[in-house]
Amino acid sequence: MRRTLLSALFASLALVAQTKYKQPPEAILKVLRAPATPISSVSPAKTHLLLLEPDRYPPIAELAQPMLRLAGLRINPRNNGPRSPQGSFKGLELIDLATLKKQALPLPAGARFSSAQWNPQGDMAAFMAMFEDRIELYLLDVKAGKLKAIPSVRLNAAYGDPLNWLPGGRTLLVQTIPAQRGKVPEASLVPAGPDIQESFGKATPVPTYQDLLKSEHDEALFEYYCTSQLAMVDAATSQVTFMGKPGIFGGAEASPNGASFLVSKVHRPFSWVLPVNRFPLDMEVWDKSGKMVASIAKLPLADRVPLEGVRTGPRSVNWYPTDGATLTWIEALDGGNPKETVPHRDRMMMAKAPFTSPQEVTKFEQRAMGQANFLKDGRMLASDYDRKTKRIRMFLVDPSTNPAKVDEVSSRSMQDRYRDMGTPVTEMMPSGQRVVVTEGDFAFFNGQGASPKGDRPFLDRVNLKTKEKTRLFECGEGVYESVVSVLDKAGARLITRRESTTEPPNYFLVADGKRTALTSYVDPAPEMRMVKKQLVNYKRADGVPLSFTLYLPPNYKPGTKLPTVMWAYPREFNDADTASQIAGSPNRFTQLSGASHLFYLLAGYAILDDASLPVIGDPDTANNTYLQQIVAGAKAAIDKATELGVTDPKRVGVGGHSYGGFMTANLLAHSDLFAAGVARSGAYNRTLTPFGFQSERRTIWEAPETYLTMSPFLNAHKINEPILLIHGQADNNTGTFPIQSERMYTAIRGNGGRVRFVYLPFESHGYAGRESVEHTLAEMVEWFDQHVKNKAD
């Protein structure tokens, strides 16, 4: 009796401990550590292909280095660059496209390289070399096949655009650390008084931003680390010429003729509730000496921007690439408020040097979408987007006429992947500006080629006037091949990236009907070729077509009912037609990385990957039926997998990341379809995201019932299946504060639920560190092995 009471007592207690990092089974580790396919970068001259080897899984010791969280930025104070090591490279290889000669380019010891910044001629490329205590400028001489350092330059990459080539391609404009910036500001141990914030009676809704300024000391640190000195660096002589005074530069770009510079500068007053991209901003034109010759805009603190709105005043300011010194930009005509009823929401402006008399080019009925794509003859491709209908239109605009001639090129729902004509192919001009590759009225469009059979990438030659299309390339059956670069004006010579379920990704030169291999990467994980996958179509109870990709583990025996993982991410759609469209391709090479749920395959699970869970309805009210729709979608997926004979419906686990983690908790709270769940980096209490989340446009005060009903935190007492919560302690994604998982854990625990909470030190929204990734995989497998695979009947 005493033993029974003690057992019950200890069973009711929560386990709180800091454990050592775990590793998943050896079969998973082997595949996890397999090399990744390098990233490609083609020179503007189309003569060379540069391959960059990603640097994955830095040790946790690296993530544990000091980090400053300032104004929405994460800064490494040791090298004055971004804290995140992701997106950097540890190896370079250069391929001559004429001779196919390959050359490895050794990197300096202790350095990671950024992506390549090519000069217009394509005979040099610039890189940031990121060391522990500094960021240096390195140049690649393509002809010599050598890298060289510019030793006198220390780059400041904490904010802004650290390096750009100037027209002519022989000089770089860079952001450097000011020589006389002094010592790091020190915080006073004794406060001068309380921190005070005040609002003056005007509505100022803001999303749940993170890493914001919190004190005057933070403001001083932000200024210290983000202040740069602009400088021009001669690539041949390494001579450095400073330009203007130091400042906090959001960007600095030379005009096509090289005589002027568009400079954006952030300045005080800073905000403690908004990130740096909302701070006051001056946009100016400078000459080469750094003297301001024109003021384009003085934008105040953007603390009155409506939800889903835009800043008033000039935005998307850019040089007109086919003129010596002409600027274009977009301005809101609706006060930046998408809820205002107006005949036109935006207009495009143009200003020639000396920039004193801006002229209107054209108006847009809906919100203009960022920067236009320019053609060599001065015309441009510009787009607008209707927030209500989610419709996107592309126009061909000719600003040489008055008024500008505007022809519609395409119109589709932004969610309609099947009718996406692709993205215009661009090339670099001698000025360094990019323009659409054209021949008369013809332009190339590179697209994903979504279809009911999956993605089939294509390259089209499109007449922009008649809309007539000629297909120059299309991915064949049974493979996945996409165009990396168009090498000639006819679209007859291409570089492609090709793969299949059995062939690893490799790069090819396609010309004259022949395909010549540029790389010969071998299968890094042959055991994964025993994995079977297929695209499965089915319907929800209300008739909405759905799909998932079914993965079966190595050596699967047909007819065996397996423990199964459904991994999903709900998405909102206006209609069932777009909701039912197929995304992805069943012909991709299965290559696992990071904390991927597909590693469950190596533990003997079937996987229903990217199971469709559409939430269909009017964008303003679709979430009113969110719970009913995701439960119906999940049931349909399990029923289909059971019908196929691969799934044991009593042994199905559900999982997801971010909004998928939110979905997981809701499915466990509002259905009994699953044996257990894994929820990573989710937001579970919608009262903590009161001004909207995901595609929800209403505030909690406008739709309180929806917010509360959708919050699994408020339904924690209904979660009666085991759930594993995983979250990075340094998550900076909007809305997914780490406190979300902390409070969700206490809510489930307090109501007697079975829950485990893994809190990953130094990790953000996604998990990067080697030890963190390995531990996450170990936890995921162990949890489902215990509560799904070996679930007691």
Side-chain angles (χ1 to χ4, degrees), residues 261-503:
F261 295 82
L262 175 63
V263 177
S264 61
K265 297 190 303 179
V266 169
H267 60 80
R268 290 176 179 270
F270 304 142
S271 170
W272 293 9
V273 296
L274 296 168
V276 61
N277 61 359
R278 297 283 198 96
F279 287 3
L281 184 73
D282 290 348
M283 286 184 277
E284 303 169 344
V285 176
W286 291 7
D287 62 18
K288 284 188 175 182
S289 71
K291 178 184 176 182
M292 186 185 77
V293 296
S295 175
I296 305 302
K298 290 185 177 294
L299 304 180
L301 180 70
D303 60 348
R304 297 287 189 269
V305 177
L307 292 174
E308 295 191 281
V310 297
R311 201 171 193 166
T312 56
R315 70 179 198 275
S316 300
V317 183
N318 291 283
W319 291 111
Y320 197 65
T322 57
D323 200 10
T326 297
L327 289 170
T328 65
W329 63 81
I330 303 295
E331 290 181 356
L333 297 174
D334 59 359
N337 188 348
K339 295 183 178 181
E340 288 291 328
T341 301
V342 293
H344 296 92
R345 294 213 173 273
D346 281 336
R347 66 176 179 175
M348 177 181 287
M349 303 294 292
M350 181 179 291
K352 294 179 177 290
F355 317 106
T356 54
S357 302
Q359 302 294 315
E360 180 179 291
V361 176
T362 190
K363 290 186 176 76
F364 298 91
E365 291 180 10
Q366 305 300 333
R367 185 70 69 213
M369 294 187 63
Q371 182 178 353
N373 289 291
F374 296 91
L375 281 62
K376 275 188 175 180
D377 61 9
R379 293 179 295 172
M380 64 184 79
L381 291 171
S383 300
D384 73 358
Y385 171 67
D386 186 340
R387 168 183 172 271
K388 180 67 175 178
T389 64
K390 297 187 178 180
R391 195 155 200 87
I392 180 174
R393 300 180 298 174
M394 182 188 297
F395 303 96
L396 179 64
V397 181
D398 185 352
S400 66
T401 63
N402 189 13
K405 185 178 180 182
V406 180
D407 295 317
E408 184 177 294
V409 175
S410 68
S411 175
R412 66 176 177 92
S413 166
M414 181 173 278
Q415 298 171 324
D416 188 350
R417 301 180 75 250
Y418 291 177
R419 294 172 180 82
D420 186 355
M421 67 183 293
T423 303
V425 176
T426 63
E427 63 183 346
M428 189 180 292
M429 298 179 68
S431 64
Q433 299 285 333
R434 299 198 70 88
V435 294
V436 176
V437 177
T438 54
E439 187 175 359
D441 289 325
F442 292 90
F444 296 125
F445 283 77
N446 193 358
Q448 285 296 315
S451 76
K453 294 183 179 180
D455 290 353
R456 296 185 64 186
F458 65 83
L459 179 71
D460 280 350
R461 186 171 182 260
V462 180
N463 187 310
L464 297 175
K465 283 189 174 180
T466 67
K467 320 301 186 294
E468 180 184 354
K469 300 177 183 177
T470 302
R471 184 135 297 180
L472 303 179
F473 169 88
E474 185 172 30
C475 173
E477 296 281 353
V479 298
Y480 182 86
E481 187 172 16
S482 58
V483 174
V484 172
S485 181
V486 180
L487 301 180
D488 64 3
K489 293 290 185 181
R493 296 181 72 244
L494 310 171
I495 293 178
T496 67
R497 188 180 189 268
R498 177 186 173 95
E499 62 189 273
S500 72
T501 56
T502 58
E503 303 169 13

Side-chain angles (χ1 to χ4, degrees), residues 14 24 44 47 83 102 153 165 206 239 255 283 462 476 572 627 660 672 680 726 729 737 744:
T47 58
R83 180 259 189 176
K102 301 178 181 179
V153 173
W165 287 96
V206 293
Q239 180 179 344
S255 59
M283 286 184 277
V462 180
E572 297 81 6
L627 293 175
D672 292 311
R680 303 189 329 204
I726 305 175
Q729 292 183 15
F737 290 102
M744 190 65 182

Side-chain angles (χ1 to χ4, degrees), residues 656-674:
H657 189 92
S658 193
Y659 204 53
F662 171 74
M663 166 213 74
T664 297
N666 266 317
L667 285 172
L668 295 183
H670 298 284
S671 77
D672 292 311
L673 297 169
F674 301 98

Side-chain angles (χ1 to χ4, degrees), residues 543-556:
V544 174
L546 305 175
S547 65
F548 58 69
T549 298
L550 172 65
Y551 286 85
L552 295 173
N555 303 316
Y556 171 71

Side-chain angles (χ1 to χ4, degrees), residues 141-155:
D141 183 326
V142 172
K143 184 177 181 180
K146 292 182 178 180
L147 290 164
K148 75 167 185 176
I150 308 296
S152 58
V153 173
R154 291 292 179 268
L155 296 176

